[in-house]
Amino acid sequence: PPRPQASSRSSEGADMNNNHHQEKRRKKGEECQKLLLMMREAGREKYELRRRLDAWECLNSGELVVSTSSFDVAVHDISFSPSHCSGCSATVAYHLLELWHKLFIVAPSQVSIDQRFLEILLQEEPTIQSKGLVESKKQAVVSIATKSEEGAKMVLKELRKRLVASQDMNCAEILGKVMEVEGFSMSKDYAQLAVEVLSTRMTNPE
């Protein structure tokens, strides 16, 4: 029998074998993709369930906000990130900060104030195009200084550090807004800081 025919059959068999392996790899890839989507969906459902459980616990105990320990467990458990979009991140941050601010005003003693969080609020970022977010950050600092004794100490320390070392106009504006609020526990300390800053600037004008 002629050999070319056998060679042709062998080639066809090899092609079929390769196609079979490619099909198996494709199916495995699709299965992995489906599993990844299912894991992400399970993570979102877990976060939503945890949030609802915390809300029910707060409702049953009469609390208005989630306690610090419960919040930390929820955050570290799934590393939830609100947005990775550079176009909408400022808007998302604004609404989250507004929500935090309202919860803090309702129950300041039950909301933990982190040092890093305060530093972010005081940080002036020229790249932020959202005027609402900039003003919301300033107002949040004012509320921390005037509605929480521990927060007032933290804000006073940060403002003194920034205003004495340099002419931070953002912090100067925040200090001015704090001075407009009457009757909070450390109003005299903030007034003294304002006097120190004015005295320093008069002594060493640029």
Side-chain angles (χ1 to χ4, degrees):
R3 292 177 178 265
Q5 186 176 359
S7 177
S8 176
R9 290 176 181 177
S10 176
S11 177
E12 289 177 359
D15 290 341
M16 290 178 63
N17 192 34
N18 288 335
N19 291 337
H20 178 68
H21 285 300
Q22 289 178 3
E23 183 66 17
K24 286 181 64 176
R25 283 196 293 266
R26 185 184 65 80
K27 289 183 177 180
K28 286 184 178 180
E30 290 178 353
E31 290 177 1
C32 290
Q33 185 69 19
K34 289 179 180 178
L35 288 173
L36 178 61
L37 293 174
M38 290 173 64
M39 289 177 62
R40 289 179 176 176
E41 183 64 26
R44 285 193 289 267
E45 290 179 358
K46 183 180 179 182
Y47 170 78
E48 185 64 23
L49 180 60
R50 178 73 260 176
R51 189 179 66 83
R52 292 182 180 181
L53 288 173
D54 286 339
W56 274 109
E57 288 176 5
C58 290
L59 183 63
N60 291 331
S61 62
E63 296 179 358
L64 292 173
V65 294
V66 180
S67 62
T68 304
S69 58
S70 179
F71 178 77
D72 286 341
V73 170
V75 170
H76 293 302
D77 195 25
I78 63 169
S79 300
F80 177 73
S81 178
S83 175
H84 294 287
C85 173
S86 60
C88 61
S89 58
T91 303
V92 174
Y94 167 76
H95 288 294
L96 288 176
L97 181 56
E98 284 291 292
L99 175 60
W100 180 92
H101 192 190
K102 285 179 171 58
L103 292 174
F104 177 77
I105 291 174
V106 170
S109 62
Q110 297 185 41
V111 179
S112 177
I113 305 167
D114 182 76
Q115 178 67 29
R116 177 57 183 156
F117 176 60
L118 178 59
E119 291 174 356
I120 292 173
L121 292 178
L122 289 170
Q123 184 177 355
E124 188 174 13
E125 301 179 46
T127 56
I128 295 180
Q129 301 296 324
S130 173
K131 186 177 180 181
L133 177 58
V134 173
E135 292 301 319
S136 183
K137 288 171 64 177
K138 293 177 183 177
Q139 193 56 50
V141 176
V142 174
S143 295
I144 292 171
T146 57
K147 296 186 179 297
S148 166
E149 185 173 351
E150 187 64 30
K153 294 176 182 178
M154 293 174 63
V155 173
L156 181 66
K157 180 180 178 181
E158 285 297 317
L159 290 181
R160 174 175 280 113
K161 180 174 67 176
R162 294 163 186 262
L163 288 171
V164 172
S166 62
Q167 295 188 5
D168 190 323
M169 298 305 296
N170 183 54
C171 288
E173 183 180 349
I174 292 173
L175 178 58
K177 290 180 179 293
V178 172
M179 295 292 297
E180 293 174 359
V181 180
E182 298 179 357
F184 67 99
S185 61
M186 295 184 64
S187 57
K188 292 183 179 179
D189 298 90
Y190 280 86
Q192 180 61 36
L193 174 59
V195 171
E196 291 176 12
V197 172
L198 287 173
S199 177
T200 301
R201 292 187 179 182
M202 292 178 64
T203 305
N204 303 306
E206 287 191 355

